[in-house]
Amino acid sequence: MNHNLSAQTPAVGCTLCQPSALQQLLQSHAQASAQWMALPRLALDGGQVLLRAGERVEQCWWVERGLLRSYYLDAQGRESNRAFHCEGDWVGHGVPPVPAVSEHHVEALEQSVVVALPYAVLRTLLQDHPALEPLLHEAHNSLFAAQARREASLLGHSPAERYQAFRASHAHLEGRLPLHHVARYLGVTNVSLSRIRARLGLSGKG
C-alpha cells in the first residue's frame, strides 16, 4: 500500500499516501477513525530494524514521524538502498493485505514513530468500509508505476542523471539523508557521487 512499499517518489495520485487526505478520509468515517487511533504506535531509534529479509509480512506501517530506509543485503554484506520513507509514507512488502515473505530489510535512519496496520485489521476495514477498496487499488497501481519508473531510471539513465532526478524528487529530504545512503540508492560508489556533486558545483555533506 505505499509507494514506498515501493521505490521512488511519492505518488501524486495516491490518496492514501497524502497525509492530509488520509486524515480527512478518517475524519469522515468515525468508526474507521476510531480503529485507526487504536492501532499500535511503534517508537524506533535511529539504526533500529523494523523488518528483516526472510520475515513473513502480515502488516504494513505508516510513518507518523521520522525517516526510514528499505534496503537489500547481498551475500557479501553489501547494501543497496531500495527506497526512503518519511512522514506520510507507507512501508512494508508485497501487496497488502496478502501476506508475503520480505525480500528486503527496513531500518530507521532517525528517531521515528510508525503506525502498525495488521492485515487482519485492514481486511476488516475494507469489509466495513467498501469505499476504501478503490483507494487501495489506486495505491497498488501507483506503487507499480513507481517501480517501473525506478527500473527505467536505473537501466536508462546515467548516474549523473539519476542523481539530478533524485535531488528533484527527494528535495523534501535534503539535509536528512547522509550521502553514502544516497549513493547506495543510486547504485554508485561514494567516490563517484562526490565527483558528480563536484561537477554540479555541490560540496560538503548532503
Side-chain angles (χ1 to χ4, degrees):
M1 178 170 359
N2 151 21
H3 315 292
N4 283 298
L5 285 191
S6 97
Q8 192 150 302
T9 61
V12 174
C14 174
T15 302
L16 292 178
C17 306
Q18 308 300 321
S20 59
L22 178 60
Q23 295 303 320
Q24 291 174 4
L25 179 66
L26 291 171
Q27 289 171 4
S28 65
H29 295 79
Q31 182 182 0
S33 180
Q35 290 170 305
W36 175 265
M37 294 306 299
L39 294 174
R41 267 67 176 168
L42 306 178
L44 304 170
D45 293 325
Q48 185 172 344
V49 175
L50 175 66
L51 176 66
R52 297 184 187 279
E55 292 182 348
R56 183 174 172 82
V57 184
E58 298 192 44
Q59 63 184 330
C60 51
W61 299 270
W62 187 76
V63 184
E64 191 168 75
R65 183 176 73 251
L67 177 64
L68 299 89
R69 67 172 178 135
S70 55
Y71 66 98
Y72 298 104
L73 191 64
D74 69 16
Q76 287 71 46
R78 293 187 293 261
E79 297 178 357
S80 300
N81 284 330
R82 177 176 180 268
F84 301 107
H85 320 277
C86 64
E87 293 84 0
D89 285 337
W90 289 94
V91 187
H93 177 75
V95 184
V98 180
V101 175
S102 179
E103 298 174 353
H104 59 260
H105 307 265
V106 177
E107 173 193 52
L109 291 177
E110 59 189 39
Q111 286 192 329
S112 305
V113 176
V114 297
V115 180
L117 176 58
Y119 288 172
V121 175
L122 177 56
R123 284 190 288 268
T124 297
L125 283 169
L126 292 174
Q127 181 178 345
D128 294 344
H129 308 283
L132 294 176
E133 187 73 31
L135 297 179
L136 184 61
H137 286 306
E138 175 190 72
H140 289 166
N141 291 338
S142 187
L143 161 61
F144 298 140
Q147 290 173 330
R149 290 194 300 273
R150 170 80 161 136
E151 180 178 330
S153 178
L154 287 172
L155 296 177
H157 299 150
S158 69
E161 290 171 333
R162 294 202 298 272
Y163 180 54
Q164 289 176 302
F166 177 86
R167 292 190 68 218
S169 62
H170 291 74
H172 58 297
L173 297 182
E174 188 79 29
R176 295 176 70 178
L177 281 174
L179 288 178
H180 68 274
H181 278 311
V182 176
R184 291 172 186 170
Y185 177 86
L186 298 174
V188 302
T189 65
N190 296 343
V191 172
S192 294
L193 180 56
S194 294
R195 290 172 178 165
I196 291 170
R197 286 172 55 80
R199 288 197 295 269
L200 294 174
L202 303 171
S203 62
K205 296 182 179 179

